[in-house]
Amino acid sequence: MAENYRNESMVDIAYSVLKEKGEIIKFSDLFNEVALRLELTEEQKSDYISNFYTCLSLDGRFVNLGDNEWDLRVNQTYDKVHIDMNDVYSDIEEETKGNRDLEEFDNEEIEAEGLSDELDEDSEDEEDYDRSSKEDL
């Protein structure tokens, strides 16, 4: 059985498995089927499992459906696999609100964002920093 798969990558074999079965498969079952077809030893399986997961994640033909269940992307509807990036970015924006490095803003951006008060507070800190460095010299 392994002769058919010796020259194929693990993800190509996984693609064949998912295509043959035509159903969603748990990662562990998918990996075990790939390992069986390649006749991997237990030691080889433990060496390759993390690399296989990474390759599977990066290969655009596959999709993780949650709960570590995998399928071919072509078998899934757009709604099921699409992540709305607006939700992701709005979460990040909320987390980073207030984490502003004012040195990155020009004067127009500072005025537009209403950050001039924060700039005044930071300038006091800079004065302390400048004073201490001059005293050290």
Side-chain angles (χ1 to χ4, degrees):
M1 185 188 252
E3 282 93 15
N4 299 337
Y5 300 105
R6 281 190 201 267
N7 294 325
E8 287 189 53
S9 70
M10 294 178 82
V11 291
D12 286 340
I13 296 169
Y15 182 84
S16 298
V17 169
L18 284 166
K19 193 166 186 162
E20 288 169 16
K21 297 208 182 245
E23 61 186 20
I24 297 167
I25 301 176
K26 289 243 178 239
F27 173 78
S28 58
D29 297 336
L30 181 59
F31 179 72
N32 287 331
E33 181 63 31
V34 170
L36 178 69
R37 292 182 184 201
L38 287 172
E39 297 179 353
L40 298 179
T41 65
E42 288 301 316
E43 185 177 335
Q44 289 173 318
K45 284 172 66 173
S46 66
D47 288 345
Y48 295 146
I49 192 166
S50 61
N51 187 48
F52 175 67
Y53 187 88
T54 301
C55 291
L56 199 66
S57 298
L58 295 175
D59 193 310
R61 299 176 292 175
F62 304 95
V63 63
N64 184 341
L65 300 171
D67 294 329
N68 224 358
E69 293 182 327
W70 291 81
D71 197 6
L72 296 176
R73 185 171 298 277
V74 297
N75 296 341
Q76 299 298 315
T77 61
Y78 177 80
D79 295 342
K80 185 140 185 176
V81 297
H82 174 70
I83 298 172
D84 186 3
M85 296 310 290
N86 290 326
D87 294 339
V88 173
Y89 288 121
S90 67
D91 291 346
I92 291 171
E93 192 172 302
E94 286 298 316
E95 290 173 7
T96 60
K97 207 173 235 179
N99 294 341
R100 297 185 174 158
D101 188 357
L102 295 178
E103 293 172 357
E104 295 179 6
F105 287 91
D106 64 23
N107 290 337
E108 289 176 13
E109 291 172 321
I110 290 172
E111 288 176 21
E113 293 284 326
L115 300 173
S116 57
D117 293 338
E118 291 180 37
L119 183 61
D120 292 339
E121 292 172 12
D122 286 346
S123 63
E124 291 174 14
D125 294 340
E126 289 176 17
E127 287 176 20
D128 292 341
Y129 174 77
D130 290 341
R131 213 176 303 125
S132 64
S133 61
K134 289 177 185 175
E135 292 171 4
D136 292 339
L137 295 175

